[in-house]
Coordinates of all heavy atoms in Angstrom, one line a residue:
M231 N 0.8 -1.2 0.0 CA 0.0 0.0 0.0 C 0.9 1.3 0.0 O 1.9 1.3 0.7 CB -0.9 0.0 1.2 CG -1.7 1.2 1.3 SD -3.1 0.9 2.4 CE -4.3 2.0 1.7
T232 N 0.5 2.2 -0.8 CA 1.3 3.4 -0.9 C 0.8 4.4 0.2 O -0.4 4.6 0.4 CB 1.1 4.0 -2.3 OG1 1.5 3.1 -3.3 CG2 1.9 5.3 -2.5
E233 N 1.8 5.1 0.8 CA 1.5 6.1 1.8 C 1.8 7.5 1.2 O 2.8 7.5 0.4 CB 2.3 5.9 3.1 CG 1.8 4.7 3.9 CD 2.6 4.6 5.2 OE1 2.9 5.7 5.8 OE2 2.8 3.5 5.6
F234 N 1.1 8.5 1.5 CA 1.4 9.8 1.1 C 1.6 10.7 2.3 O 0.8 10.8 3.2 CB 0.2 10.4 0.3 CG 0.0 9.6 -1.0 CD1 -0.9 8.5 -1.1 CD2 0.6 10.0 -2.2 CE1 -1.1 7.8 -2.2 CE2 0.4 9.3 -3.4 CZ -0.4 8.2 -3.4
H235 N 2.8 11.4 2.2 CA 3.1 12.4 3.2 C 3.0 13.8 2.6 O 3.6 14.0 1.5 CB 4.5 12.2 3.8 CG 4.7 10.8 4.3 ND1 4.3 10.5 5.6 CD2 5.2 9.7 3.8 CE1 4.5 9.2 5.8 NE2 5.0 8.7 4.7
V236 N 2.3 14.7 3.2 CA 2.0 16.0 2.6 C 2.5 17.1 3.6 O 2.2 17.0 4.8 CB 0.5 16.2 2.3 CG1 0.3 17.6 1.7 CG2 0.0 15.1 1.4
D237 N 3.4 18.0 3.1 CA 3.9 19.1 3.9 C 3.7 20.4 3.1 O 3.6 20.3 1.9 CB 5.4 18.9 4.2 CG 5.6 17.7 5.1 OD1 5.0 17.5 6.1 OD2 6.4 16.8 4.7
T238 N 3.8 21.5 3.8 CA 3.9 22.8 3.1 C 5.1 23.5 3.6 O 5.3 23.6 4.8 CB 2.6 23.6 3.3 OG1 1.5 22.8 2.9 CG2 2.6 24.9 2.5
T239 N 5.9 24.0 2.7 CA 7.1 24.7 3.0 C 6.7 26.1 3.5 O 5.6 26.6 3.4 CB 8.1 24.9 1.8 OG1 7.5 25.7 0.9 CG2 8.4 23.5 1.2
A240 N 7.7 26.8 4.1 CA 7.5 28.2 4.6 C 7.1 29.1 3.5 O 6.4 30.1 3.7 CB 8.8 28.7 5.3
S241 N 7.5 28.8 2.3 CA 7.2 29.7 1.1 C 5.9 29.3 0.4 O 5.5 29.8 -0.6 CB 8.3 29.7 0.1 OG 8.6 28.4 -0.3
G242 N 5.1 28.3 1.0 CA 3.8 28.0 0.6 C 3.8 26.9 -0.5 O 2.8 26.7 -1.2
I243 N 4.9 26.2 -0.7 CA 5.0 25.1 -1.7 C 4.5 23.8 -1.1 O 5.0 23.5 0.0 CB 6.4 25.0 -2.3 CG1 6.8 26.3 -3.1 CG2 6.5 23.8 -3.2 CD1 8.2 26.3 -3.5
G244 N 3.6 23.2 -1.7 CA 3.1 21.9 -1.2 C 4.1 20.8 -1.6 O 4.5 20.8 -2.8
V245 N 4.4 19.9 -0.7 CA 5.3 18.8 -1.0 C 4.6 17.5 -0.7 O 4.1 17.3 0.4 CB 6.6 18.9 -0.2 CG1 7.5 17.7 -0.5 CG2 7.4 20.2 -0.5
V246 N 4.5 16.7 -1.7 CA 3.8 15.4 -1.6 C 4.8 14.3 -1.8 O 5.6 14.3 -2.8 CB 2.7 15.2 -2.7 CG1 2.0 13.9 -2.5 CG2 1.7 16.3 -2.5
R247 N 4.9 13.4 -0.8 CA 5.9 12.3 -0.9 C 5.2 10.9 -0.9 O 4.8 10.4 0.2 CB 6.8 12.4 0.3 CG 7.7 13.5 0.3 CD 8.7 13.6 1.5 NE 9.5 14.7 1.5 CZ 9.1 15.9 2.1 NH1 8.0 16.0 2.7 NH2 10.0 16.9 2.0
P248 N 5.0 10.3 -2.1 CA 4.4 9.0 -2.1 C 5.5 8.0 -1.8 O 6.6 8.1 -2.3 CB 4.0 8.8 -3.6 CG 4.4 10.1 -4.3 CD 5.2 10.9 -3.4
E249 N 5.2 7.0 -1.0 CA 6.1 5.9 -0.6 C 5.5 4.6 -1.1 O 4.4 4.2 -0.6 CB 6.3 5.9 0.9 CG 7.1 7.0 1.5 CD 7.3 6.9 3.0 OE1 6.9 5.9 3.5 OE2 7.9 7.8 3.5
G250 N 6.1 4.0 -2.0 CA 5.6 2.7 -2.6 C 5.4 2.8 -4.1 O 6.1 3.5 -4.8
R251 N 4.3 2.2 -4.5 CA 4.0 2.1 -5.9 C 2.9 3.0 -6.3 O 1.9 3.1 -5.7 CB 3.6 0.6 -6.2 CG 4.6 -0.4 -5.9 CD 4.1 -1.8 -6.0 NE 3.5 -2.2 -7.3 CZ 4.2 -2.7 -8.3 NH1 5.5 -2.9 -8.2 NH2 3.6 -2.9 -9.4
L252 N 3.1 3.8 -7.4 CA 2.1 4.6 -7.9 C 1.4 3.9 -9.1 O 1.7 4.0 -10.2 CB 2.6 6.0 -8.5 CG 2.8 7.1 -7.5 CD1 3.4 8.3 -8.1 CD2 1.5 7.4 -6.8
N253 N 0.4 3.1 -8.7 CA -0.4 2.3 -9.6 C -1.8 2.8 -9.6 O -2.1 3.8 -9.1 CB -0.3 0.8 -9.3 CG -0.7 0.5 -7.9 OD1 -1.4 1.3 -7.2 ND2 -0.3 -0.7 -7.3
M254 N -2.7 2.0 -10.2 CA -4.1 2.4 -10.4 C -4.7 2.8 -9.0 O -5.4 3.8 -8.9 CB -4.9 1.3 -11.1 CG -6.3 1.7 -11.4 SD -7.2 0.4 -12.3 CE -7.3 -0.9 -11.2
V255 N -4.5 2.0 -8.0 CA -5.1 2.3 -6.7 C -4.5 3.5 -6.1 O -5.2 4.4 -5.7 CB -4.9 1.1 -5.8 CG1 -5.4 1.4 -4.4 CG2 -5.6 -0.2 -6.3
A256 N -3.2 3.6 -6.1 CA -2.5 4.8 -5.5 C -2.8 6.1 -6.3 O -2.8 7.2 -5.7 CB -1.0 4.5 -5.3
A257 N -3.0 5.9 -7.6 CA -3.2 7.1 -8.4 C -4.4 7.9 -8.0 O -4.5 9.1 -8.0 CB -3.3 6.7 -9.9
R258 N -5.5 7.1 -7.6 CA -6.7 7.8 -7.2 C -6.4 8.6 -5.9 O -6.9 9.7 -5.7 CB -7.8 6.7 -6.9 CG -8.4 6.2 -8.2 CD -9.6 5.4 -7.8 NE -9.3 4.1 -7.2 CZ -9.3 2.9 -7.8 NH1 -9.5 2.9 -9.1 NH2 -8.9 1.8 -7.2
Q259 N -5.6 8.0 -5.0 CA -5.2 8.8 -3.8 C -4.4 10.0 -4.1 O -4.6 11.1 -3.6 CB -4.4 7.9 -2.9 CG -5.2 6.7 -2.3 CD -4.3 5.8 -1.5 OE1 -3.5 5.1 -2.1 NE2 -4.3 5.9 -0.2
L260 N -3.5 9.9 -5.1 CA -2.6 11.0 -5.4 C -3.5 12.1 -6.0 O -3.3 13.3 -5.7 CB -1.5 10.6 -6.4 CG -0.6 11.7 -6.9 CD1 0.1 12.4 -5.8 CD2 0.4 11.1 -7.9
K261 N -4.4 11.7 -6.9 CA -5.3 12.7 -7.5 C -6.1 13.5 -6.4 O -6.2 14.7 -6.5 CB -6.3 12.1 -8.4 CG -5.8 11.7 -9.8 CD -6.9 11.0 -10.6 CE -6.4 10.4 -11.9 NZ -7.4 9.8 -12.7
S262 N -6.5 12.8 -5.4 CA -7.3 13.4 -4.3 C -6.4 14.3 -3.5 O -6.8 15.4 -3.2 CB -7.9 12.3 -3.4 OG -8.5 12.8 -2.3
V263 N -5.2 13.9 -3.2 CA -4.3 14.7 -2.4 C -3.9 16.0 -3.2 O -4.0 17.1 -2.6 CB -3.0 13.9 -2.1 CG1 -1.9 14.8 -1.6 CG2 -3.2 12.8 -1.1
L264 N -3.7 15.9 -4.5 CA -3.3 17.0 -5.3 C -4.5 18.0 -5.4 O -4.4 19.2 -5.3 CB -2.8 16.6 -6.7 CG -1.5 15.8 -6.7 CD1 -1.2 15.4 -8.1 CD2 -0.4 16.6 -6.1
A265 N -5.7 17.4 -5.6 CA -6.9 18.2 -5.7 C -7.2 19.0 -4.4 O -7.6 20.1 -4.4 CB -8.1 17.3 -6.1
D266 N -7.0 18.3 -3.3 CA -7.2 19.0 -2.0 C -6.2 20.1 -1.8 O -6.6 21.2 -1.3 CB -7.0 18.0 -0.8 CG -8.2 17.0 -0.7 OD1 -9.2 17.2 -1.4 OD2 -8.0 16.0 0.0
L267 N -5.0 19.9 -2.2 CA -4.0 21.0 -2.1 C -4.4 22.2 -2.9 O -4.4 23.4 -2.5 CB -2.6 20.5 -2.5 CG -1.8 19.7 -1.5 CD1 -0.6 19.1 -2.1 CD2 -1.4 20.6 -0.3
V268 N -4.8 22.0 -4.2 CA -5.2 23.0 -5.1 C -6.4 23.7 -4.6 O -6.5 25.0 -4.6 CB -5.3 22.5 -6.5 CG1 -5.9 23.6 -7.4 CG2 -4.0 22.0 -7.1
A269 N -7.4 23.0 -4.1 CA -8.6 23.6 -3.6 C -8.3 24.4 -2.4 O -9.0 25.4 -2.1 CB -9.6 22.5 -3.3
G270 N -7.3 24.0 -1.6 CA -6.9 24.8 -0.4 C -6.1 26.0 -0.7 O -5.6 26.7 0.2
G271 N -5.8 26.2 -2.0 CA -5.0 27.4 -2.4 C -3.5 27.2 -2.6 O -2.8 28.2 -2.8
T272 N -3.1 26.0 -2.6 CA -1.7 25.7 -2.8 C -1.6 25.4 -4.3 O -2.1 24.3 -4.8 CB -1.2 24.5 -2.0 OG1 -1.4 24.8 -0.6 CG2 0.3 24.2 -2.3
H273 N -0.9 26.3 -5.1 CA -0.9 26.1 -6.5 C 0.5 25.8 -7.0 O 0.7 25.6 -8.2 CB -1.4 27.4 -7.2 CG -2.8 27.7 -6.8 ND1 -3.2 29.0 -6.5 CD2 -3.8 26.9 -6.5 CE1 -4.5 28.9 -6.2 NE2 -4.9 27.7 -6.1
R274 N 1.5 25.7 -6.1 CA 2.8 25.3 -6.5 C 3.1 24.0 -5.6 O 3.1 24.1 -4.4 CB 3.9 26.3 -6.2 CG 3.7 27.5 -7.1 CD 4.9 28.5 -7.0 NE 5.2 28.8 -5.6 CZ 6.4 29.3 -5.2 NH1 7.4 29.5 -6.1 NH2 6.6 29.6 -4.0
I275 N 3.3 22.9 -6.4 CA 3.4 21.6 -5.7 C 4.6 20.8 -6.2 O 4.9 20.9 -7.4 CB 2.1 20.7 -5.9 CG1 0.9 21.5 -5.3 CG2 2.3 19.4 -5.3 CD1 -0.4 20.8 -5.7
V276 N 5.4 20.2 -5.3 CA 6.5 19.3 -5.7 C 6.1 17.9 -5.3 O 5.7 17.7 -4.1 CB 7.8 19.7 -5.0 CG1 8.9 18.8 -5.4 CG2 8.2 21.1 -5.4
V277 N 6.2 17.0 -6.2 CA 6.0 15.6 -5.9 C 7.3 14.9 -5.8 O 8.1 14.8 -6.8 CB 5.1 14.8 -6.9 CG1 4.9 13.4 -6.5 CG2 3.7 15.5 -7.0
D278 N 7.7 14.6 -4.6 CA 9.0 14.0 -4.3 C 8.9 12.5 -4.5 O 8.3 11.8 -3.7 CB 9.4 14.3 -2.8 CG 10.8 13.7 -2.4 OD1 11.4 13.1 -3.3 OD2 11.2 14.0 -1.3
L279 N 9.6 12.0 -5.5 CA 9.5 10.6 -5.9 C 10.6 9.7 -5.5 O 10.8 8.6 -6.0 CB 9.3 10.5 -7.5 CG 8.1 11.2 -8.0 CD1 8.2 11.2 -9.6 CD2 6.8 10.5 -7.6
A280 N 11.4 10.2 -4.5 CA 12.5 9.4 -4.0 C 12.2 8.1 -3.4 O 13.0 7.1 -3.5 CB 13.3 10.2 -3.0
D281 N 11.0 7.9 -2.9 CA 10.6 6.7 -2.3 C 9.5 6.0 -3.1 O 8.7 5.1 -2.6 CB 10.1 6.9 -0.8 CG 11.2 7.4 0.1 OD1 12.3 6.9 -0.1 OD2 10.9 8.3 0.9
T282 N 9.4 6.3 -4.4 CA 8.4 5.7 -5.3 C 9.1 4.6 -6.1 O 10.0 4.9 -6.9 CB 7.8 6.7 -6.2 OG1 7.2 7.8 -5.4 CG2 6.7 6.1 -7.1
S283 N 8.7 3.4 -5.8 CA 9.5 2.3 -6.5 C 8.9 1.9 -7.9 O 9.6 1.2 -8.6 CB 9.4 1.0 -5.6 OG 8.0 0.7 -5.4
F284 N 7.7 2.4 -8.2 CA 7.1 2.0 -9.5 C 6.1 3.0 -9.9 O 5.4 3.6 -9.0 CB 6.5 0.6 -9.3 CG 5.6 0.1 -10.5 CD1 6.2 -0.5 -11.5 CD2 4.2 0.3 -10.4 CE1 5.4 -0.9 -12.6 CE2 3.4 -0.1 -11.5 CZ 4.0 -0.7 -12.6
I285 N 5.9 3.2 -11.2 CA 4.8 4.1 -11.6 C 4.3 3.5 -12.9 O 5.0 3.0 -13.7 CB 5.3 5.5 -11.9 CG1 4.1 6.5 -12.1 CG2 6.3 5.6 -13.0 CD1 4.5 7.9 -12.0
D286 N 2.9 3.5 -13.0 CA 2.3 3.0 -14.3 C 1.6 4.2 -14.9 O 1.7 5.3 -14.5 CB 1.4 1.8 -14.0 CG 0.2 2.1 -13.2 OD1 -0.1 3.2 -12.9 OD2 -0.5 1.1 -12.8
S287 N 0.8 3.9 -15.9 CA 0.1 4.9 -16.7 C -0.9 5.7 -15.8 O -1.1 6.9 -16.0 CB -0.6 4.3 -17.9 OG -1.6 3.3 -17.5
S288 N -1.5 5.0 -14.8 CA -2.4 5.7 -13.9 C -1.7 6.7 -13.1 O -2.2 7.8 -12.9 CB -3.1 4.7 -13.0 OG -3.8 3.7 -13.8
G289 N -0.5 6.3 -12.6 CA 0.3 7.3 -11.8 C 0.7 8.5 -12.6 O 0.7 9.6 -12.2
L290 N 1.1 8.2 -13.9 CA 1.5 9.3 -14.8 C 0.3 10.2 -15.1 O 0.5 11.4 -15.1 CB 2.0 8.7 -16.1 CG 3.3 7.9 -16.1 CD1 3.6 7.3 -17.4 CD2 4.5 8.8 -15.6
G291 N -0.8 9.6 -15.2 CA -2.1 10.4 -15.5 C -2.4 11.3 -14.3 O -2.8 12.4 -14.5
A292 N -2.2 10.8 -13.1 CA -2.4 11.6 -11.9 C -1.5 12.8 -11.8 O -1.9 13.9 -11.5 CB -2.3 10.7 -10.6
L293 N -0.2 12.6 -12.2 CA 0.8 13.6 -12.2 C 0.4 14.7 -13.3 O 0.5 15.9 -13.0 CB 2.2 13.1 -12.5 CG 2.8 12.3 -11.3 CD1 4.1 11.7 -11.8 CD2 3.0 13.2 -10.1
I294 N 0.1 14.2 -14.5 CA -0.3 15.1 -15.6 C -1.6 15.9 -15.2 O -1.7 17.1 -15.4 CB -0.5 14.4 -16.9 CG1 0.8 13.8 -17.3 CG2 -1.1 15.3 -18.0 CD1 1.9 14.7 -17.5
G295 N -2.5 15.2 -14.5 CA -3.7 15.9 -14.1 C -3.4 17.0 -13.0 O -4.0 18.1 -13.0
G296 N -2.4 16.7 -12.2 CA -1.9 17.7 -11.2 C -1.3 18.9 -11.9 O -1.4 20.1 -11.5
V297 N -0.5 18.6 -13.0 CA 0.1 19.7 -13.7 C -1.0 20.6 -14.3 O -0.9 21.9 -14.2 CB 1.0 19.2 -14.9 CG1 1.4 20.3 -15.8 CG2 2.2 18.5 -14.3
K298 N -2.0 20.0 -14.9 CA -3.1 20.8 -15.5 C -3.8 21.6 -14.5 O -4.0 22.8 -14.7 CB -4.0 19.8 -16.2 CG -5.2 20.5 -16.9 CD -6.1 19.5 -17.6 CE -7.3 20.3 -18.2 NZ -8.2 19.4 -18.9
S299 N -4.2 21.0 -13.3 CA -5.0 21.8 -12.4 C -4.1 22.9 -11.7 O -4.7 24.0 -11.5 CB -5.5 20.9 -11.3 OG -4.5 20.2 -10.5
T300 N -2.8 22.7 -11.5 CA -2.0 23.8 -10.9 C -1.8 24.9 -11.9 O -1.9 26.1 -11.5 CB -0.7 23.2 -10.3 OG1 0.0 22.5 -11.4 CG2 -0.9 22.3 -9.1
R301 N -1.6 24.5 -13.1 CA -1.3 25.6 -14.1 C -2.6 26.4 -14.4 O -2.5 27.6 -14.7 CB -0.8 24.9 -15.4 CG 0.6 24.5 -15.3 CD 1.2 23.9 -16.5 NE 2.6 23.5 -16.3 CZ 3.3 22.8 -17.2 NH1 2.8 22.5 -18.4 NH2 4.5 22.4 -16.9
Q302 N -3.8 25.8 -14.3 CA -5.0 26.5 -14.5 C -5.2 27.6 -13.4 O -5.9 28.6 -13.6 CB -6.2 25.6 -14.5 CG -6.3 24.8 -15.7 CD -7.4 23.7 -15.6 OE1 -7.9 23.3 -14.6 NE2 -7.9 23.3 -16.8
Q303 N -4.5 27.4 -12.2 CA -4.6 28.3 -11.1 C -3.4 29.3 -11.1 O -3.1 30.0 -10.1 CB -4.7 27.6 -9.8 CG -5.9 26.7 -9.7 CD -7.2 27.5 -9.8 OE1 -7.3 28.6 -9.2 NE2 -8.1 27.0 -10.5
G304 N -2.5 29.2 -12.2 CA -1.4 30.1 -12.2 C -0.1 29.5 -11.5 O 0.8 30.2 -11.4
G305 N -0.2 28.3 -11.2 CA 1.0 27.6 -10.5 C 1.6 26.6 -11.4 O 1.6 26.7 -12.6
D306 N 2.2 25.6 -10.7 CA 2.8 24.5 -11.5 C 3.0 23.3 -10.6 O 3.0 23.5 -9.3 CB 4.1 24.9 -12.1 CG 4.5 24.0 -13.3 OD1 3.8 23.1 -13.7 OD2 5.6 24.3 -13.9
L307 N 3.2 22.1 -11.1 CA 3.5 20.9 -10.4 C 4.9 20.5 -10.9 O 5.1 20.4 -12.2 CB 2.5 19.8 -10.6 CG 2.8 18.5 -9.8 CD1 1.5 17.9 -9.3 CD2 3.5 17.5 -10.7
R308 N 5.8 20.2 -10.0 CA 7.1 19.7 -10.4 C 7.4 18.4 -9.7 O 6.8 18.1 -8.7 CB 8.2 20.7 -10.0 CG 8.0 22.2 -10.4 CD 8.5 22.5 -11.8 NE 8.1 23.8 -12.3 CZ 8.8 24.9 -12.2 NH1 10.0 24.9 -11.5 NH2 8.4 26.0 -12.7
I309 N 8.3 17.6 -10.3 CA 8.7 16.4 -9.7 C 10.1 16.5 -9.3 O 10.9 17.2 -9.9 CB 8.4 15.1 -10.5 CG1 9.2 15.2 -11.8 CG2 6.9 14.9 -10.8 CD1 9.2 13.9 -12.6
A310 N 10.5 15.8 -8.2 CA 11.9 15.8 -7.7 C 12.3 14.4 -7.4 O 11.5 13.6 -6.9 CB 12.0 16.7 -6.5
R311 N 13.6 14.2 -7.5 CA 14.3 13.0 -7.1 C 13.6 11.6 -7.5 O 13.5 10.7 -6.7 CB 14.4 13.0 -5.6 CG 15.1 14.2 -5.1 CD 15.4 14.3 -3.6 NE 14.4 13.7 -2.7 CZ 14.6 13.2 -1.5 NH1 15.9 13.2 -1.1 NH2 13.7 12.7 -0.8
P312 N 13.3 11.5 -8.8 CA 12.7 10.2 -9.2 C 13.7 9.1 -9.1 O 14.9 9.2 -9.4 CB 12.3 10.5 -10.6 CG 13.2 11.5 -11.1 CD 13.5 12.4 -9.9
T313 N 13.2 7.9 -8.7 CA 14.0 6.7 -8.7 C 14.3 6.3 -10.1 O 13.7 6.8 -11.1 CB 13.3 5.6 -8.0 OG1 12.1 5.3 -8.7 CG2 13.0 5.9 -6.5
E314 N 15.3 5.4 -10.3 CA 15.7 4.9 -11.6 C 14.5 4.3 -12.3 O 14.3 4.5 -13.5 CB 16.8 3.9 -11.6 CG 18.2 4.5 -11.6 CD 18.5 5.4 -12.8 OE1 18.3 5.0 -13.9 OE2 19.0 6.5 -12.5
A315 N 13.7 3.5 -11.6 CA 12.5 2.9 -12.2 C 11.5 3.9 -12.7 O 11.0 3.8 -13.8 CB 11.9 1.9 -11.2
V316 N 11.3 4.9 -12.0 CA 10.3 6.0 -12.4 C 10.9 6.8 -13.5 O 10.2 7.1 -14.5 CB 10.0 6.9 -11.2 CG1 9.2 8.1 -11.6 CG2 9.2 6.1 -10.1
L317 N 12.2 7.1 -13.4 CA 12.8 7.9 -14.5 C 12.8 7.1 -15.8 O 12.6 7.7 -16.9 CB 14.3 8.2 -14.1 CG 15.0 9.3 -14.9 CD1 14.2 10.6 -15.0 CD2 16.4 9.6 -14.4
T318 N 13.0 5.8 -15.8 CA 12.9 5.0 -17.0 C 11.6 5.1 -17.7 O 11.5 5.3 -18.9 CB 13.2 3.5 -16.7 OG1 14.6 3.5 -16.2 CG2 13.1 2.7 -17.9
V319 N 10.5 5.1 -16.9 CA 9.1 5.2 -17.4 C 8.9 6.6 -18.0 O 8.4 6.8 -19.1 CB 8.1 4.8 -16.4 CG1 6.7 5.1 -16.9 CG2 8.2 3.4 -16.0
L320 N 9.4 7.6 -17.3 CA 9.3 9.0 -17.8 C 10.0 9.2 -19.1 O 9.5 9.8 -20.0 CB 9.8 10.0 -16.7 CG 9.0 10.1 -15.4 CD1 9.7 10.9 -14.4 CD2 7.6 10.7 -15.7
D321 N 11.2 8.6 -19.2 CA 12.0 8.7 -20.4 C 11.3 8.0 -21.6 O 11.2 8.5 -22.7 CB 13.4 8.1 -20.2 CG 14.3 9.0 -19.5 OD1 14.1 10.2 -19.5 OD2 15.3 8.5 -18.9
L322 N 10.8 6.8 -21.3 CA 10.1 6.0 -22.4 C 8.9 6.7 -22.9 O 8.5 6.5 -24.1 CB 9.8 4.6 -21.8 CG 11.0 3.6 -21.6 CD1 10.5 2.4 -20.9 CD2 11.6 3.3 -23.0
T323 N 8.2 7.4 -22.0 CA 6.9 8.1 -22.4 C 7.2 9.5 -22.9 O 6.2 10.2 -23.2 CB 5.9 8.0 -21.3 OG1 6.5 8.7 -20.1 CG2 5.5 6.6 -20.9
N324 N 8.4 10.0 -22.9 CA 8.8 11.3 -23.2 C 8.1 12.4 -22.3 O 8.0 13.5 -22.6 CB 8.4 11.7 -24.7 CG 9.5 11.3 -25.6 OD1 10.6 11.2 -25.3 ND2 9.1 11.0 -26.9
L325 N 7.7 12.0 -21.1 CA 7.1 12.9 -20.1 C 8.2 13.7 -19.4 O 7.8 14.6 -18.7 CB 6.2 12.2 -19.2 CG 4.9 11.7 -19.8 CD1 4.1 10.9 -18.8 CD2 4.1 12.9 -20.3
T326 N 9.4 13.4 -19.6 CA 10.5 14.2 -19.0 C 10.4 15.7 -19.5 O 10.9 16.6 -18.9 CB 11.9 13.6 -19.2 OG1 12.1 13.4 -20.5 CG2 12.1 12.4 -18.3
K327 N 9.9 15.8 -20.7 CA 9.7 17.2 -21.3 C 8.7 18.0 -20.6 O 8.8 19.2 -20.5 CB 9.4 17.0 -22.8 CG 10.6 16.4 -23.6 CD 10.2 16.2 -25.0 CE 11.4 15.6 -25.8 NZ 11.1 15.3 -27.1
I328 N 7.7 17.4 -20.1 CA 6.6 18.1 -19.4 C 6.9 18.1 -17.9 O 6.7 19.2 -17.2 CB 5.2 17.4 -19.6 CG1 4.9 17.4 -21.1 CG2 4.2 18.0 -18.7 CD1 3.7 16.6 -21.5
L329 N 7.3 17.0 -17.3 CA 7.5 16.9 -15.9 C 9.0 17.3 -15.4 O 9.2 17.3 -14.2 CB 7.1 15.5 -15.4 CG 5.7 15.2 -15.5 CD1 5.4 13.7 -15.2 CD2 4.8 16.1 -14.6
R330 N 9.9 17.5 -16.3 CA 11.3 17.8 -16.1 C 11.7 17.5 -14.6 O 11.6 18.4 -13.8 CB 11.5 19.2 -16.4 CG 11.3 19.5 -17.9 CD 11.7 20.9 -18.3 NE 11.3 21.9 -17.3 CZ 11.7 23.1 -17.2 NH1 12.6 23.5 -18.0 NH2 11.2 23.9 -16.3
P331 N 12.2 16.3 -14.4 CA 12.7 16.0 -13.0 C 13.7 16.9 -12.4 O 14.6 17.4 -13.2 CB 13.2 14.6 -13.2 CG 12.7 14.1 -14.5 CD 12.4 15.3 -15.3
R332 N 13.6 17.2 -11.2 CA 14.5 18.1 -10.5 C 15.3 17.3 -9.5 O 14.9 16.2 -9.0 CB 13.8 19.2 -9.6 CG 12.7 19.9 -10.4 CD 13.2 20.6 -11.6 NE 12.0 21.1 -12.4 CZ 12.0 22.2 -13.0 NH1 13.1 23.0 -13.1 NH2 10.9 22.6 -13.7
D333 N 16.5 17.7 -9.2 CA 17.4 17.0 -8.3 C 17.1 17.1 -6.9 O 17.4 16.2 -6.1 CB 18.9 17.5 -8.5 CG 19.4 17.1 -9.9 OD1 19.0 16.1 -10.5 OD2 20.3 17.9 -10.4
T334 N 16.4 18.2 -6.5 CA 16.1 18.4 -5.1 C 14.7 18.9 -5.0 O 14.2 19.6 -5.9 CB 17.0 19.4 -4.4 OG1 16.9 20.7 -5.0 CG2 18.5 18.9 -4.5
V335 N 14.1 18.7 -3.8 CA 12.8 19.2 -3.5 C 12.9 20.7 -3.3 O 12.1 21.5 -3.9 CB 12.1 18.6 -2.3 CG1 10.9 19.3 -1.9 CG2 11.9 17.1 -2.6
D336 N 13.9 21.1 -2.6 CA 14.1 22.6 -2.2 C 14.3 23.4 -3.5 O 13.9 24.6 -3.5 CB 15.2 22.7 -1.2 CG 14.9 22.1 0.1 OD1 13.7 22.0 0.4 OD2 15.8 21.8 0.9
G337 N 15.0 22.9 -4.5 CA 15.3 23.6 -5.6 C 14.3 23.5 -6.8 O 14.6 23.9 -7.9
A338 N 13.2 22.8 -6.6 CA 12.3 22.5 -7.7 C 11.7 23.7 -8.4 O 11.4 23.7 -9.5 CB 11.2 21.6 -7.2
F339 N 11.6 24.8 -7.6 CA 11.0 26.1 -8.2 C 12.1 27.2 -8.3 O 11.7 28.3 -8.3 CB 9.8 26.5 -7.3 CG 8.6 25.8 -7.7 CD1 8.2 24.7 -6.9 CD2 7.8 26.2 -8.7 CE1 7.0 24.0 -7.2 CE2 6.6 25.5 -9.0 CZ 6.2 24.4 -8.3
D340 N 13.3 26.8 -8.4 CA 14.4 27.8 -8.5 C 14.7 28.3 -9.9 O 15.8 28.7 -10.2 CB 15.7 27.2 -7.9 CG 15.7 27.2 -6.4 OD1 14.7 27.8 -5.8 OD2 16.6 26.6 -5.8
D341 N 13.8 28.3 -10.8 CA 14.1 28.7 -12.1 C 13.3 29.9 -12.6 O 12.4 30.4 -11.9 CB 13.9 27.6 -13.2 CG 12.6 27.0 -13.2 OD1 11.7 27.3 -12.3 OD2 12.3 26.2 -14.1

């Protein structure tokens, strides 16, 4: 089972840390977590994938949905520290162009 840890930085950036597999079941939870953050006024979100061992199309869909909803509110969703397994899927699907992985959570919005 995938666990989600949610924090907000002092600068108002939401940080979501999924631990485990981002599959069809966990993707629903991720969508809900992201939607709650956006509805609560957090429009800049970093998804820290350092503890995510696997991602499938449902997990990718949840991330892309998060990008769309944050951008509609004038913000953005960034990913940080993807594992090799996750990075491989992102590369194979060419989603690194949209989700552009960051090396650190703290530096995800430093551009």
